[in-house]
C-alpha cells in the first residue's frame, strides 16, 4: 500500500461515512490543513498520528507505514489551472516582488521558510459575502555568508 | 512618464531619502503591502493617493497620471526563481489541492477572489527565530449555475 | 463512480437514445451550455438538478453524488488545437488587450468574473451563411485597495 | 511610421485630449471594439476610416498608410497573465469542449470563424454589481469533404 | 466503438487485404487524401460515405456511427519530429511570412481557410528523382470590420 | 549592411515606389514566392539576381553582398500566431500523418525535400469566394540503408 | 505485431542468446549502426533483410511485416538526458554554427542530408584512453531557387 | 573588447579580405573546425594561437585577451531551426539510442566525451552528388563506481 | 526482469526487512550513495557487486542481469519539484556561474566530470541544528584544441 | 549604480590588475566562492565587507550601497547549457532521488537548506588528472507538522 492507495482509501471512507476534514483533524489532534495535506500524501505522519488516523477512519493496517513514509512532493501543473488554485498562483505572480520588498524590509536579507511552516484557513463572515482568510506562518531564514 | 518610469523614480528617491515602504504607506494612509504594489506598478491609485504619493516623495507632476493608470499585471517568470518568491510558489504547488479541499469544505463550490482581495505581512517574534506571518484575505465567490 | 465515469455514461446514453444537449437541458430546467459543462464534469450540480439528470437519463444512482461533487477544472492543452476551440483562443490573443481597454473604459479598473458568470450560444440565420452568436455574461469585479 | 509608432501616438493624443475609445469610434463611424483593435495595430483600416482617424485625432499624415497596412497579428503570452485577459483564457479552457458540443449540435461539423467575425462589449446594470456582456459573432464555417 | 477503434480496425483490414488508400478512396468516391484523413479520425463522413466504407472494408456496423462523429482534431507534437512531417513544419516556418506577403498582395487582408479547404498529392516523374507535388486549395476569407 | 538591413531597405523602397512583389519578381526573372523569400532574407541570391535586384530597386551597392550571403533560416514562433500562418501550421498538424500515409504509399519510405523544393501561389476565381491555391513541389528522397 | 513488439522480442532474444549487434549485423549483411536502428524501429527493412533477421534471430513470422513497415520516427525528449546522448546534443549546440560555416564554405548554400545518410562507430585504441570515432556521411543538398 | 566584439570584427575582416576559414586555419596552424569555433567565441585560444590570429587578421591588440578568455558556451535554440543544424539535431533524435547501444557494446558503460573531443568536415566527391563527411572523435569515459 | 522491477523489489525487501541503505552498502562493500543510485537503476553493477546484492537482499536470480545492465539515465522533471531536490537545483542556478569562475581559475578552461565522479553525504552535528555535508568529487577535464 | 554595473566594474578591474578571486577573497576575509557570488550580484555584503571590497578594488563609492543591496536571485536558463554548469545540473537529475533517500535516511523527513548554506571548491591533485572537490554544507531543516 503506497501513499496514493491510502489517499484513495481515505476519500472513499470519507465519502461513505460523510466525514469532514475538520472532523478527521479533530480526531487526530492536528489542524485541518495539515491533516488534509497528510491524507493527500504531501506530508508524513508521526507514528502516533498515523495510528489515530488508521483507527479513526478504519483504514487497513498497511496504511500506517504508508502514512509515515516521507513523501516525494510533486505537482502536475507548473501553472495550475483549477480556478481556486490558479488565483493563488496569480497572487504569487502579481505580489511576489511586493512581498520580497516588504518582508526583506522587516526582516533583512533572507526568505520565509516553506519547511518550518504552517498554514490555516478561516471563514470571515461578511454581509457583502463571506471572506476566506488564509494565513501562512514560516520561519524567517537569513542568508548566511561565509 | 509611464508606470515603469515612476517605479524607477520611486526607488531612486526612496534610496536617496532612506525611506521605508512602511513610512511611505503611513504618509499616504494605506498599508505597506498595497502601497508597495502600487509603487511597483501592479495596482492603480485613486487620485487622492496619487496626490499624496507625489507630494510626499517629491515626484514630478507627470507621475500622478501614471500612478492612476490601470496596470497590465504581468510577471516575467512562470516559475519564479528568487528563493523568497519560489517558496511561495512551492507552497501553492504542495498545498494547492489541500487548500481546495479545505476552502470548499468550509464555503461550498467556488474560489477565493484575487481581485476583491487584500494581504498583509507581520513579524512574529520568536526566540528560535522570528517568523513571517502572511495573511491573504479574499472574498469567497461561489460558482453560478444558469 | 467519479465524474469521468458519469461523463462516459452520459455520452453512451445520449448516443443510444439519440438525445440532444438541448433536450437534456430542457428536462432539467437549465440552459444547454451549463448542462453540457456539468455533464462534461466542469460544474457541480445541485441535488435537485442531479436528481433530474439521473432520472431523465436513467443513470445509475451512484451518478448523483458524482454530479454533485465539486470539480477540479483542468484542461489538457495550454494552447488548444481543435480548430473550433483554437479560434476562441485566437480571439483572446488578438483581442485581449482591446477588451481590456474597452471594458476598463466602461467599468473602471477591474475584471469580468469567470465564476459569477454565464454563457449562451445562439444561431443567427443569414443567407450568406448562418452565424454563431456567443454571449459571455460576467460580473464586473473592481480591484480593491487596502 | 509603423503600426507601433501610430499606436503610441494615439495613446499620447488620447491621454492629452482626454478622449475615450467610444468617442473615437463615434467620430469614425465604427464600433468601439473594432476601432480600439485597429488603434492597437490588430486590424487594418480602409482608406476612409484611416482618413477620419488621422483627421479626428490630428495624427501625422504618415499615420494613414500605417493604419491601412495589413497587420501581423501576434501576442506575447501563450498563457496570458493580466487577470482580465486570463479570465477569458480560463473560459476557453474550462468551456471550450462544452462550446464545441453545443455549437456543433446546433450547426453541424464546423467552426465559428474568427475572421468573418465581430465582437461587442455592453454594460448590464445590476444592483448586485454591474455585469460585463461580451458578444462574439462569427460566421459558421462547415468542414468541406473532397 | 470510437474513432480510434475504427482507425485500428481499418489498418488491420488494409494490411490483411493488402489494400491501398487509393483503392479505398476509389471505392467510396472521394479523394485519397480526404479518405485517409477520415480513416485516421480527422474528418467526419456523411452517412453515404460511412456506409460505403463499412461495406467495402467489411467493418463492424458500429463503425458507421463512429465514422460519422465530428472529430476533435488534435496532434501530439507541437513541433513534429517525423522527418516527412517536420519538413512541412519547416516550410511553414521558413516561408510563412513570405506566403503572407504574396497571398495578401494577391487577395487583400485576410487568410486562406483551413476549413473550406482541400488538398491533393501528385507524383511528378523526373529523371533526376521523382517529385512530390502537394496542392492546398482554401477559400480566401477577408477580415471583416464592424 | 546585413540581410536585415536589406530587407528593411526593400520594404521602404517598395512602399515609396508602390511596387508589388510580382513586379519585382518579373524584373529579376524569378517567381514571386522565391523573390519575396530572398527579400525577406530567407534565401541567397546568385550574383546575377542580386545585381538585378540592386539595380531595379535602386538599393545601395553594399546590398549585393548581403543578398548573396547564405542565410541562417530561423523563425520566432514555434507555434505561429498570425492567423494566415497559423492556418498552415494547423494543416500540418491535422493532415501531417495523412500526408505521410499518402506520400509513402505513392513513393515508398522517404520524405519530400524542403531544400530541393519550390512553391507557388495562384488565385482561383470562384463566384462563392476566390480560392488560394498553394502548390509545394519537392524532390522525393528515399531513406538509404547501409 | 507492431514495431515496438518486434523491438522487445529482439531485446529478449539478444539477451537470451547473448548476441551482439555486431553479430546480428554480420548475419544480415548490413552495418551494426543501421541494423541496430532498424531493430529499434527507426528504419524499415527490405524484404531480404527482414527475412534474414527473422530467420537468424528466430523471430515469429509476423515480425517480418513489422520490420518492413515504414517507421514514424519520433523521440521522447526534445533535450535528451542520458549523458551519452546529451553529449551529442551538446556538440550540436556548441558546434552547430561552426559546422554551418565550414560546410557551406566547402560546398555552397545547402545542407547535409539526414535521409541520404549513413553513420558508423569505430574504436580508436589509445594508451591515454580509447576514443570513439563517429562518422556521419550525408549527401550535400544545395538550395534550389525558382 | 569581449568575445562577441571579436567575432564581429573577424567576420568584417574576413569579408573585406575575402578570406576563408581554411586559410585562417592554415595561418594559425589549427584545423578549420576548431579555428572557426574559436572565432565564433566557443573555444579559448592559447596565447600562441591568439597572437597568430591577431597578427594574421590584423585585429586590434585588445582582441588577444578576449580570444584567450574561457568562453561561456550557450546557444539560443533548444531545438535548432536552421535546416543545416536541425538535420544534425534530427540525427541525434533518431539515432541517439542506436548510438548508445553500439558505443556501449564496443566500449562498456560510459560515454563519448564532448570535452576531450575533436571534429572534422571533409568533402567526398561523388558523381551522384558530393557528400559531407563529418567525423567526431571523443575520448571514451567509463562510469566510475565508488 | 528490468531495472524498474528490480528497484521495486528492493524497496519491498528493504521495507520488509527494515534495512537501511547504509547496511546494504556495507554488505556489498560500496558507499551508500553509489549503492542507492544502483538500486534506483541509475548505475550498473559489476558482476561481483550484483552477486552480493542479490544474495544479501534475497533477490530473484533474474535481478543479477538487470543490475548489470547499462542504464538509460533520465529524470522526469526538467525543474525538480520535491523541495529537497529543488534546493540542489536552486544551488546550481544561483551558484553555477560562481562555480565556473572559481573552478576555471583554479584549473584552467575545462569542466568537472560527472562520469569520472563520486559523491558522499555526511552528517555534521551542530547544536544549532545538524548540517548536511554533501561532497562531489569529479575529475577535471581540460578542453582540447585541435 | 546597480549590482550589474558593479559586477561589470569588478570584472574590468580584475582583468586590468590581473587579480584572482582568491586574492580578492583573502583581502576581504571571506571565502573565494562567497566573494565571487557577491561580486556576481548573487549575495549581499555586510557594510564591513562592502567597504573592504570598494577599497581593495578601488571601486567608485556608489558601489558600496549596491553591494549591500539584497539581490534578486535569478538565472537565465532553466536547463543550463555551459558544459561546466550543465554537468552539475546533470548530477542533480541523475542523483537527486538518490540524495533524497540517503539524506532522509540519515536525518529524517526534511531538506538541506540552500539559505543557511555554504560551499567550497578544492583541488585534489592526482597523477591521473587532478580532481575538483566541491563541498556543499547546508543546515538540515525538518518538516514541521501543525
Amino acid at each position: 500500500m503506497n501513499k496514493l492507495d491510502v489517499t484513495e482509501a481515505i476519500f472513499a471512507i470519507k465519502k461513505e461515512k460523510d466525514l469532514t476534514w475538520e472532523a478527521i483533524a479533530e480526531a487526530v489532534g492536528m489542524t485541518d490543513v495539515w491533516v488534509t495535506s497528510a491524507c493527500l500524501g504531501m506530508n508524513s505522519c508521526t507514528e502516533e498520528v498515523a495510528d489515530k488516523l488508521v483507527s479513526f477512519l478504519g483504514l487497513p493496517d498497511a496504511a500506517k507505514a504508508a502514512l509515515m513514509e516521507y513523501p516525494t512532493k510533486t505537482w502536475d501543473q507548473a501553472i495550475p489551472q483549477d480556478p481556486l488554485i490558479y488565483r493563488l498562483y496569480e497572487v504569487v505572480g502579481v505580489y511576489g516582488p511586493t512581498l520580497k520588498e516588504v518582508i526583506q524590509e522587516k526582516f533583512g536579507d533572507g526568505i520565509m521558510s516553506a519547511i518550518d511552516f504552517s498554514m490555516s484557513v478561516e471563514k470571515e463572515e461578511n454581509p457583502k459575502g463571506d471572506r476566506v482568510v488564509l494565513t501562512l506562518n514560516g520561519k524567517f531564514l537569513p542568508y548566511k555568508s561565509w
Side-chain angles (χ1 to χ4, degrees), chain A:
Chain A
M1 206 175 194
N2 63 22
K3 279 194 179 291
L4 186 56
D5 301 327
V6 173
T7 297
E8 284 171 5
I10 292 174
F11 269 90
I13 291 167
K14 180 171 173 291
K15 199 174 177 177
E16 194 193 303
K17 302 198 176 170
D18 203 13
L19 294 169
T20 59
W21 295 114
E22 206 176 352
I24 300 171
E26 215 167 298
V28 302
M30 306 296 291
T31 66
D32 53 359
V33 171
W34 186 87
V35 163
T36 305
S37 83
C39 290
L40 291 178
M42 291 301 252
N43 270 310
S44 62
C45 296
T46 58
E47 184 159 14
E48 191 195 336
V49 170
D51 272 333
K52 285 185 186 164
L53 263 176
V54 167
S55 119
F56 178 67
L57 292 169
L59 289 165
D61 285 354
K64 183 179 157 183
L67 286 164
M68 293 174 64
E69 267 170 27
Y70 303 163
T72 293
K73 304 185 175 190
T74 61
W75 50 94
D76 283 348
Q77 302 180 304
I79 299 176
Q81 293 177 322
D82 183 79
L84 188 143
I85 305 175
Y86 182 82
R87 298 306 180 270
L88 298 170
Y89 170 81
E90 189 178 282
V91 165
V92 173
V94 172
Y95 293 103
T98 289
L99 292 172
K100 184 171 163 74
E101 285 292 326
V102 174
I103 290 172
Q104 295 189 338
E105 176 173 305
K106 284 187 205 293
F107 291 83
D109 197 7
I111 67 157
M112 178 180 84
S113 180
I115 308 297
D116 188 336
F117 172 84
S118 66
M119 189 160 36
S120 67
V121 174
E122 297 301 326
K123 185 185 224 165
E124 184 183 290
E125 305 216 340
N126 187 313
K128 291 184 189 158
D130 293 344
R131 299 184 73 82
V132 182
V133 181
L134 183 59
T135 309
L136 291 76
N137 183 311
K139 190 178 180 183
F140 178 74
L141 304 179
Y143 283 109
K144 198 187 150 177
S145 59
W146 70 92

